[in-house]
Amino acid sequence: KKTFQGPFRACHDIVKPHDFCRNCLSDLYLSDGAWLILYQVLETFAVTCQKRGAMVHDWRTPLGC
């Protein structure tokens, strides 16, 4: 089994990140790389994980959000 690292490590088994990543890449492309899009997608992913009981560690500070 693959072990994930990073602030969302407890979430990957509960919420699959694939759709979030795909949508984020599409949105970043359409917005000409606007960082605000990345932060919004990460915020949505974090909230979704927390609502489903996963512990999400600090992701804002390391990314400078």
Side-chain angles (χ1 to χ4, degrees), residues 10-31:
C11 188
H12 288 261
D13 289 334
I14 297 170
V15 178
K16 302 301 180 204
H18 180 266
D19 290 336
F20 285 91
C21 290
R22 187 183 67 233
N23 291 339
C24 182
L25 289 173
S26 175
D27 291 346
L28 282 170
Y29 175 78
L30 293 173
S31 68

Side-chain angles (χ1 to χ4, degrees), residues 25-46:
L25 289 173
S26 175
D27 291 346
L28 282 170
Y29 175 78
L30 293 173
S31 68
D32 199 27
W35 281 98
L36 181 58
I37 298 294
L38 174 61
Y39 301 143
Q40 290 171 342
V41 171
L42 288 173
E43 176 70 27
T44 301
F45 187 63

